[in-house]
């Protein structure tokens, strides 16, 4: 494909002017000392010199520069620089320098991004391997014990089969949640947006988790009595999952006889913000930036006190972002945590 050449006349105009001034002055001195100074001859010399210089500079020198600049463009094209290869080739040095600087900055950012992604990929694969390995080895251990003769004892058989079942259930959670996150990331999981009362939905989640909360004597409550419905526009099933995950998370790390409180506030004209606040263990500030990563552990000991897939907060983040909304977290170690997210009001 023929490469478009973007002409620049500034260099030729300026250079020709300098050459013309020099030759005209030189000729003026020569005529002054050896002949009479004839002004119309000087003007003719000035005009002819300028035209000749301009043509030489523009169509010879610039072509010389163009061939070398084109080689730079070709080399950059080999590096798949779409931003440079798509444009016209210019011999203007300032423009070329700006394009090269932009190219270098873009490549540096791209390299840094790839390094971060590679680090994240390795960490993610390690976490997935760990999360799958733990229940698999647990199930394998119970089954091997039963096969070695423990199945003849009815009490041990029932106990080990129940534990193996819990391990399989844990694997199911992980695979199901990973599948959901993948669909959310690639946009395959469609949202069924509808208008519903967020207060009623929270009450339903409270009822669903009442038994779990009672085991730790944690009180599930609103910050106030909501006498009127608060209508929002979202995927009701997914928002229920968000609320359930956040409340379950607060129950896991909440203190005995503590509280988990839900508040619903007007944020701006067409937005509300839902806050889930607890007075549990809290989270240190260094963990907050990575809290929504898949399998990220605040507790580095490698053990989980509670069941689940370890993907709850990551799913929450993806669901909220799929609604084009924001999620926030504030926490202080030893004091408690507050997770909040925005939703659009229903008209």
């Amino acid at each position: 494909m023929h490469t478009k050449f973007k002409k620049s006349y500034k260099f030729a105009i300026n250079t020709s002017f300098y050459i013309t001034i020099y030759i005209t002055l030189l000729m003026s001195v020569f005529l002054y000392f050896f002949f009479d100074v004839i002004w119309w001859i000087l003007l003719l010399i000035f005009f002819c010199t300028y035209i000749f210089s301009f043509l030489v500079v523009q169509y010879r020198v610039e072509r010389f520069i163009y061939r070398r600049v084109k080689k730079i463009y070709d080399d950059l094209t080999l590096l798949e620089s779409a931003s440079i290869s798509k444009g016209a080739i210019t011999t203007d040095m300032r423009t070329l320098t700006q394009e090269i600087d932009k190219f270098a900055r873009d490549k540096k950012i791209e390299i840094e991004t790839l390094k971060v992604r590679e680090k994240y990929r390795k960490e993610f694969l390690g976490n997935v391997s760990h999360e799958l390995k733990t229940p698999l080895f647990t199930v394998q251990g119970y089954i091997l014990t039963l096969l070695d003769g423990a199945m003849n004892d009815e009490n041990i058989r029932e106990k080990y089969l129940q534990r193996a079942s819990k391990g399989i259930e844990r694997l199911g959670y992980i695979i199901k949640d990973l599948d959901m996150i993948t669909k959310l990331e690639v946009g395959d999981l469609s949202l069924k947006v509808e208008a519903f009362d967020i207060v009623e939905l929270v009450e339903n989640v409270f009822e669903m988790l009442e038994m779990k909360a009672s085991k730790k004597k944690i009180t599930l409550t609103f910050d106030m009595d909501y006498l009127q419905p608060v209508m929002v526009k979202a995927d009701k099933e997914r928002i229920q999952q968000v609320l359930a995950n956040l409340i379950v998370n607060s129950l896991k790390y909440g203190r005995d006889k503590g509280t988990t409180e839900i508040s619903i506030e007007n944020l701006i004209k067409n937005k509300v913000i839902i806050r889930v606040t607890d007075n549990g263990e809290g989270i240190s500030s260094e963990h907050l930036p990575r809290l929504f990563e898949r399998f990220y552990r605040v507790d580095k000991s490698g053990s989980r006190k509670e069941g689940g897939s370890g993907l709850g907060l990551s799913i929450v983040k993806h669901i909220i972002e799929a609604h084009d909304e924001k999620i926030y977290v504030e926490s202080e170690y030893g004091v408690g945590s507050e997770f909040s997210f925005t939703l659009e009001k229903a008209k």
Side-chain angles (χ1 to χ4, degrees):
M1 184 178 69
H2 180 67
T3 304
K4 185 180 178 182
F5 176 42
K6 182 181 178 182
K7 289 184 177 295
S8 175
Y9 296 99
K10 185 177 179 180
F11 175 79
I13 290 171
N14 292 336
T15 305
S16 301
F17 180 75
Y18 298 144
I19 294 172
T20 302
I21 290 295
Y22 173 77
I23 292 176
T24 302
L25 289 175
L26 190 66
M27 185 58 67
S28 299
V29 173
F30 178 79
L31 290 174
Y32 178 79
F33 283 105
F34 296 99
F35 302 96
D36 293 332
V37 177
I38 304 173
W39 293 107
W40 70 268
I41 292 178
L42 287 177
L43 290 174
L44 182 63
I45 291 172
F46 182 92
F47 179 76
C48 293
T49 303
Y50 187 85
I51 296 298
F52 178 76
S53 300
F54 179 83
L55 293 174
V56 169
V57 173
Q58 182 66 26
Y59 294 103
R60 295 300 302 169
V61 176
E62 190 163 19
R63 292 302 298 178
F64 175 79
I65 297 173
Y66 169 77
R67 286 195 295 270
R68 281 149 181 77
V69 172
K70 184 176 183 301
K71 186 176 186 304
I72 296 175
Y73 274 83
D74 291 341
D75 291 341
L76 292 176
T77 302
L78 292 175
L79 296 174
E80 298 181 355
S81 172
S83 60
I84 291 183
S85 61
K86 285 182 179 180
I89 294 178
T90 177
T91 56
D92 181 68
M93 291 298 105
R94 186 171 69 175
T95 303
L96 178 62
T97 301
Q98 290 173 349
E99 290 187 359
I100 297 298
D101 287 344
K102 183 178 182 300
F103 169 80
R105 287 195 303 270
D106 291 343
K107 285 299 176 184
K108 183 178 179 180
I109 292 172
E110 184 179 342
I111 290 170
E112 292 298 324
T113 302
L114 289 173
K115 287 181 179 178
V116 171
R117 288 181 178 177
E118 177 64 15
K119 180 181 177 182
Y120 176 77
R121 184 189 67 83
K122 290 179 179 179
E123 189 172 320
F124 172 68
L125 290 176
N127 286 334
V128 171
S129 175
H130 174 80
E131 294 294 336
L132 293 175
K133 179 175 64 177
T134 301
L136 275 174
F137 283 179
T138 300
V139 172
Q140 184 183 42
Y142 288 136
I143 291 176
L144 288 176
T145 302
L146 290 172
L147 290 175
D148 286 342
M151 69 172 63
N152 297 324
D153 188 320
E154 185 175 340
N155 293 329
I156 293 178
R157 181 176 63 201
E158 184 178 355
K159 182 172 67 174
Y160 279 22
L161 285 175
Q162 287 177 350
R163 292 179 179 178
S165 177
K166 287 183 179 179
I168 296 297
E169 186 178 1
R170 171 82 182 280
L171 283 172
Y173 286 146
I174 294 172
I175 294 170
K176 180 182 176 182
D177 289 349
L178 275 174
D179 181 61
M180 176 176 293
I181 289 177
T182 302
K183 288 180 178 179
L184 285 166
E185 286 180 341
V186 301
D188 285 348
L189 192 63
S190 59
L191 299 176
K192 184 181 178 182
V193 178
E194 59 181 308
F196 61 90
D197 180 10
I198 188 66
V199 176
E200 181 183 358
L201 186 65
V202 172
E203 290 173 344
N204 292 339
V205 175
F206 278 175
E207 291 178 5
M208 182 173 63
L209 298 175
E210 185 178 3
M211 293 296 295
K212 192 176 186 70
S214 65
K215 291 181 180 179
K216 296 183 70 172
K217 298 180 181 179
I218 293 177
T219 302
L220 302 177
T221 182
F222 282 104
D223 66 320
M224 57 177 282
D225 292 330
Y226 290 91
L227 304 178
Q228 299 295 328
V230 179
M231 303 302 293
V232 296
K233 188 177 179 182
D235 186 317
K236 185 175 181 179
E237 182 180 348
R238 299 302 172 198
I239 298 304
Q240 177 174 306
Q241 186 175 9
V242 167
L243 288 167
N245 282 351
L246 291 178
I247 294 173
V248 166
N249 195 66
S250 74
L251 295 178
K252 284 182 184 179
Y253 303 105
R255 63 182 62 174
D256 291 345
K257 299 181 181 179
T259 60
T260 295
E261 182 182 271
I262 305 292
S263 63
I264 305 166
E265 304 170 14
N266 289 318
L267 188 61
I268 54 177
K269 184 177 180 181
N270 65 330
K271 298 282 185 182
V272 296
I273 186 166
I274 296 92
R275 305 182 189 275
V276 181
T277 308
D278 65 62
N279 57 355
E281 296 178 6
I283 305 165
S284 300
S285 58
E286 64 267 22
H287 297 296
L288 295 181
R290 302 188 61 188
L291 199 59
F292 294 100
E293 290 182 15
R294 288 175 281 191
F295 299 120
Y296 181 74
R297 292 175 180 271
V298 174
D299 177 13
K300 299 299 182 181
S301 64
S303 63
R304 289 194 182 275
K305 294 184 291 183
E306 305 284 347
S309 65
L311 296 165
L313 290 179
S314 184
I315 289 174
V316 164
K317 178 176 180 289
H318 280 83
I319 290 176
I320 296 302
E321 289 181 348
H323 285 80
D324 293 324
E325 300 293 344
K326 301 291 185 181
I327 185 164
Y328 309 94
V329 58
E330 295 180 11
S331 186
E332 184 177 347
Y333 186 72
V335 176
S337 304
E338 178 182 282
F339 290 84
S340 57
F341 59 93
T342 60
L343 286 179
E344 183 179 353
K345 289 182 182 178
K347 298 179 181 179

